[in-house]
């Protein structure tokens, strides 16, 4: 909403700049261009703030998926441990020995597949964390452009009045 309003203000300033240019009002044109540039800096800052929020939401979803994958791995490991215990407790003469061993092998394979999925989810979280850091750096750069030394001095001077 803020961005839409700001975009409208920027477009209105561009129209005023164009009119000032046609009417050869150079001082007005320069003043309006300064206002336009200021609003464009604010617009860029707001866009980057919005991008950070979206990235934070994506990261939270990825973290939730990672936790779910970790829970599946823990459950599979518990199942695997039970199968290993069953194999250790089975007697060589047990008619179900082959079935018990095969179930243990299948549980081991299942656990490894789930661990791979968990590792992929972990990589996704790491990538999103990196992306969030990059977006935060972008925001800091936009903020620094917005808060130039001249603007800070002007704001301080207006506060003294």
């Amino acid at each position: 909403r803020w961005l839409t309003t700001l975009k409208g203000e920027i477009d209105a300033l561009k129209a005023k700049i164009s009119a000032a240019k046609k009417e050869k009002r150079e001082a007005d044109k320069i003043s309006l261009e300064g206002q336009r540039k200021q609003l464009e800096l604010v617009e860029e800052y707001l866009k980057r703030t919005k991008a950070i929020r979206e990235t934070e939401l994506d990261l939270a979803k990825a973290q939730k998926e990672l936790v779910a994958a970790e829970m599946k791995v823990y459950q599979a490991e518990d199942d695997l441990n039970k199968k290993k215990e069953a194999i250790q407790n089975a007697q060589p003469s047990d008619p179900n020995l082959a079935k018990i061993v095969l179930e243990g092998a299948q549980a081991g394979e299942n656990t490894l597949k789930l661990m791979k999925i968990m590792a992929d989810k972990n990589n996704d979280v790491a990538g999103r964390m990196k992306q969030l850091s990059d977006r935060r750096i972008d925001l800091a750069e936009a903020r620094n452009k917005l808060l130039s030394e001249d603007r800070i001095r002007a704001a301080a001077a207006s506060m003294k009045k």
Side-chain angles (χ1 to χ4, degrees):
R1 193 164 85 186
W2 286 89
L3 286 171
T4 305
T5 302
L6 204 52
K7 184 69 175 154
E9 290 178 25
I10 291 170
D11 290 343
L13 278 173
K14 286 179 180 177
K16 289 179 182 178
I17 291 168
S18 180
K21 191 175 185 179
K22 286 179 185 175
E23 296 168 9
K24 303 209 187 286
R25 292 181 288 130
E26 193 62 29
D28 287 345
K29 180 183 153 230
I30 291 170
S31 173
L32 292 168
E33 283 177 347
Q35 291 174 34
R36 178 190 53 85
K37 287 177 184 176
Q38 178 68 23
L39 287 179
E40 286 174 346
L41 289 173
V42 171
E43 178 186 35
E44 186 62 26
Y45 180 81
L46 291 175
K47 283 180 181 177
R48 290 180 184 195
T49 301
K50 181 181 176 187
I52 283 177
R53 182 66 183 136
E54 291 168 354
T55 304
E56 287 172 337
L57 291 173
D58 290 344
L59 174 60
K61 289 176 189 172
Q63 288 171 326
K64 182 179 176 182
E65 290 175 10
L66 174 59
V67 168
E70 288 172 341
M71 292 302 297
K72 287 180 182 178
V73 167
Y74 298 145
Q75 290 168 351
E77 286 176 336
D78 186 49
D79 184 47
L80 177 59
N81 287 331
K82 288 176 183 173
K83 301 290 185 193
K84 285 179 180 179
E85 187 177 318
I87 291 169
Q88 289 172 350
N89 293 334
Q91 299 298 319
S93 60
D94 188 334
N96 293 322
L97 181 60
K99 180 183 175 192
I100 293 170
V101 170
L102 288 173
E103 286 176 352
Q106 185 61 42
E109 182 180 340
N110 184 46
T111 301
L112 291 172
K113 287 178 180 178
L114 290 171
M115 290 174 107
K116 182 184 180 300
I117 290 169
M118 183 181 75
D120 289 341
K121 300 288 184 190
N122 206 357
N123 284 339
D124 185 39
V125 167
R128 291 179 190 279
M129 289 177 79
K130 181 188 177 303
Q131 185 181 38
L132 181 58
S133 294
D134 290 342
R135 297 245 164 104
R136 285 179 173 156
I137 290 168
D138 290 345
L139 179 66
E141 290 171 353
R143 181 184 57 238
N144 290 342
K145 286 180 184 176
L146 189 60
L147 299 174
S148 72
E149 217 175 295
D150 292 337
R151 288 189 183 89
I152 292 170
R153 279 195 204 114
S158 70
M159 293 166 101
K160 289 179 183 178
K161 293 179 182 180

